[in-house]
Amino acid sequence: QICRDRGAFFARKSRAIPAMCSLQEERENAKGIVHFINLSNGLESLPMLQGTPVAFTRIQSSHCESGNFNGILSGLDPTLLLYLALGYHCYLHDYGSRNKKRMAPRAIWYGVTFIKYALHQIWELPGEPTKPIL
């Protein structure tokens, strides 16, 4: 049975976000944790994740910039959606950022926020979804 209300989608701009726990602790407690690399700027995090299983997805900042919401959702990797639906904690790694004010890639602060909202609506999860601030 798919448990849609347990999955969590975390974004990690690897250089800017202080780790709440070390990667070693994450590896030891890795049940239900999957790391995704956002192509192509997330590839820089591969050396840091050495020994940790990773998957890949593509949230394009150009879709975010143009407000192409269908493009954002249709470009998501099916593996990411499956892990979220099964209740896994999914971490998205991305290093790209030209926004000096937010200090995070647009795919993170815009894309992940919208994806959380959209999946909450599409999967008809209980409670009110967090409204994206776009």
Side-chain angles (χ1 to χ4, degrees):
Q1 179 179 347
I2 294 177
C3 183
R4 296 179 181 152
D5 59 347
R6 292 187 349 197
F9 195 23
F10 301 98
R12 176 179 283 172
K13 182 180 185 286
S14 301
R15 281 183 249 179
I17 297 176
M20 292 177 10
C21 62
S22 72
L23 281 175
Q24 183 61 35
E25 289 172 311
E26 280 187 17
R27 286 185 191 116
E28 291 169 5
N29 302 316
K31 288 184 180 175
I33 295 174
V34 183
H35 293 268
F36 283 85
I37 305 297
N38 194 30
L39 299 171
S40 61
N41 290 323
L43 291 173
E44 294 179 40
S45 64
L46 282 174
M48 180 185 77
L49 295 169
Q50 187 176 19
T52 302
V54 297
F56 299 90
T57 193
R58 179 78 168 122
I59 301 172
Q60 296 186 43
S61 60
S62 60
H63 288 320
C64 299
E65 291 165 4
S66 65
N68 182 357
F69 301 117
N70 190 37
I72 294 170
L73 293 177
S74 65
L76 291 177
D77 182 73
T79 305
L80 172 63
L81 295 172
L82 178 63
Y83 277 119
L84 287 170
L86 291 172
Y88 283 73
H89 292 267
C90 297
Y91 288 88
L92 178 70
H93 297 267
D94 193 329
Y95 274 108
S97 182
R98 287 178 284 203
N99 188 320
K100 301 305 176 204
K101 179 181 175 187
R102 293 187 190 267
M103 296 299 296
R106 187 177 306 269
I108 301 285
W109 67 263
Y110 190 116
V112 170
T113 302
F114 172 72
I115 292 164
K116 285 180 178 181
Y117 175 79
L119 292 180
H120 193 284
Q121 295 292 90
I122 292 167
W123 289 344
E124 299 177 356
L125 298 177
E128 280 296 310
T130 304
K131 300 269 190 226
I133 301 172
L134 309 175

